[in-house]
């Protein structure tokens, strides 16, 4: 089921399928900022990554002697969520563990996803509660895709990505989508000119020294994504397909390294949550 939320500045559509954002528009602009999920390029729009970001090495983890296989980015984007609360400007989706989730993730949990319109920003909040009797381990992230170009008479070459924090650590992926620890590098990066060739080795992954805003813009219109408390940002567009979108992805987690041992407790940027505790993270999107 789809829900439409609006305030004086913004209108969005969200879905119970994957708790996914499906549309993002400013009320004073005739622009759809969110990519519309064309299957010939990429059928998703803004999938939720849970209970892990990226891939497990060899596609599985081992917990208490049992192997659990999981697709890239986990099951969160495939599930149907219930609506816990809804108003004209905010909605909270709810997902709890089940027999289906236990096939790939053996822990009990409650996941809440909140979208709230605050002025000209869309605030997104994730809350994970441990309903198990022992600690649980997880990571979580977002994968929103934004249209490029946004306005008529502009093209990919007119767009750039700007970083408010210029000191970054870059993580490089191998052909299996795992990061290579020996190739991690520190860099200084102010802006990134948008080019399809940037994604020849999959996503660009950066860890800033401190929280930052990442802006996709042609100088007039764009998206300003405030990472909030997320330590990592992924930037991706399919390659060699030249699709008209780019993803800005705030992450609380990272794909496995090539040296992973299938132990979820050692997964980089993974979170450990004690019974009855709740983990909360947030970020915001401002279209302009």
């Amino acid at each position: 089921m789809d829900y439409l939320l609006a305030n004086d500045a913004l209108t969005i559509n969200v879905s119970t399928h994957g708790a996914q954002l499906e549309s993002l528009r400013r009320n004073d602009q005739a622009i759809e900022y969110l990519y519309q999920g064309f299957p010939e390029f990429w059928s998703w729009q803004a999938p939720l990554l849970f209970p892990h970001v990226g891939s497990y090495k060899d596609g599985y983890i081992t917990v208490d002697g049992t192997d659990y296989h999981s697709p890239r980015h986990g099951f969160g984007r495939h599930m149907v969520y219930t609506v816990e609360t809804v108003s004209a400007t905010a909605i909270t989706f709810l997902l709890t563990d089940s027999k289906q989730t236990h096939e790939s993730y053996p822990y009990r949990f409650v996941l809440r996803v909140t979208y709230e319109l605050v002025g000209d920003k869309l605030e997104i909040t994730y809350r994970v509660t441990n309903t198990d009797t022992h600690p649980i381990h997880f990571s979580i992230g977002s994968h929103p895709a934004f249209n490029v170009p946004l306005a008529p008479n502009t093209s990919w070459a007119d767009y750039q990505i700007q970083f408010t924090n210029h000191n970054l650590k870059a993580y490089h992926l191998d052909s299996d989508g795992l990061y290579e620890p020996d190739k991690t590098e520190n860099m200084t990066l102010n802006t990134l000119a948008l080019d399809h060739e940037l994604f020849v080795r999959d996503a660009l992954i950066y860890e800033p020294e401190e929280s930052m805003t990442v802006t996709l813009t042609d100088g007039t219109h764009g998206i300003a994504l405030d990472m909030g408390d997320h330590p990592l940002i992924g930037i991706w567009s399919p390659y060699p397909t030249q699709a008209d979108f780019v993803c800005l992805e705030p992450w609380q987690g990272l794909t496995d390294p090539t040296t992973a041992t299938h132990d979820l407790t050692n997964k980089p940027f993974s979170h450990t949550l004690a019974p009855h505790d709740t983990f909360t993270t947030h970020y915001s999107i401002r279209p302009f």
Side-chain angles (χ1 to χ4, degrees), residues 1-281:
M1 176 177 279
D2 293 341
Y3 288 82
L4 184 148
L5 308 179
N7 66 2
D8 290 340
L10 301 177
T11 299
I12 66 169
N13 287 82
V14 290
S15 175
T16 54
H17 182 227
Q20 182 173 218
L21 181 68
E22 294 186 328
S23 178
L24 173 62
R25 303 179 298 277
R26 286 185 61 95
N27 297 339
D28 61 356
Q29 301 283 351
I31 295 174
E32 173 59 70
Y33 288 84
L34 198 72
Y35 166 69
Q36 291 300 289
F38 300 107
E40 62 267 34
F41 299 116
W42 191 58
S43 60
W44 299 96
Q45 295 177 262
L48 166 61
L49 316 182
F50 179 83
H52 60 93
V53 174
S55 300
Y56 292 146
K57 185 179 180 181
D58 304 317
Y60 74 93
I61 54 170
T62 302
V63 180
D64 296 331
T66 300
D67 293 343
Y68 294 89
H69 293 261
S70 181
R72 191 175 194 183
H73 295 317
F75 55 71
R77 56 180 169 171
H78 299 284
M79 307 301 291
V80 176
Y81 292 63
T82 59
V83 175
E84 186 174 48
T85 61
V86 62
S87 69
T89 59
I91 190 168
T92 295
F93 294 106
L94 182 69
L95 180 70
T96 59
D97 64 281
S98 64
K99 182 178 179 180
Q100 182 180 357
T101 67
H102 292 165
E103 292 177 357
S104 61
Y105 182 71
Y107 301 110
R108 296 179 59 192
F109 67 88
V110 172
L111 170 61
R112 290 178 171 87
V113 180
T114 299
Y115 295 95
E116 183 175 9
L117 301 176
V118 181
D120 65 349
K121 293 183 179 180
L122 171 61
E123 301 275 357
I124 300 99
T125 303
Y126 299 142
R127 296 179 180 86
V128 181
T129 300
N130 180 357
T131 56
D132 218 319
T133 57
H134 47 75
I136 67 172
H137 313 280
F138 67 93
S139 54
I140 192 167
S142 289
H143 204 312
F146 302 105
N147 284 321
V148 178
L150 286 165
N153 303 316
T154 61
S155 67
W156 260 65
D158 298 316
Y159 287 77
Q160 62 178 222
I161 297 173
Q162 303 168 348
F163 305 90
T164 57
N165 189 315
H166 304 152
N167 298 316
L168 308 173
K169 180 184 290 186
Y171 295 82
H172 298 282
L173 303 179
D174 71 1
S175 59
D176 294 320
L178 306 178
Y179 89 84
E180 302 174 284
D182 59 337
K183 295 184 179 179
T184 300
E185 61 177 323
N186 295 316
M187 62 173 57
T188 300
L189 188 62
N190 298 333
T191 62
L192 192 65
L194 206 56
D195 188 306
H196 291 286
E197 295 297 322
L198 290 170
F199 308 106
V200 65
R201 292 181 59 85
D202 208 332
L204 308 177
I205 303 171
Y206 299 121
E207 178 189 0
E209 283 188 345
E210 57 188 40
S211 183
M212 68 176 177
T213 297
V214 180
T215 301
L216 169 69
T217 182
D218 65 351
T220 302
H221 298 291
I223 289 288
L225 188 148
D226 186 326
M227 291 174 58
D229 54 356
H230 289 70
L232 297 164
I233 187 80
I235 302 172
W236 176 80
S237 189
Y239 185 90
T241 301
Q242 297 192 1
D244 289 337
F245 70 88
V246 66
C247 296
L248 303 179
E249 310 171 37
W251 292 345
Q252 288 275 1
L254 182 61
T255 192
D256 272 359
T258 55
T259 56
T261 62
H262 307 297
D263 182 352
L264 190 56
T265 63
N266 294 329
K267 187 172 174 62
F269 295 93
S270 180
H271 294 276
T272 298
L273 197 60
H276 312 298
D277 282 357
T278 296
F279 169 85
T280 302
T281 186

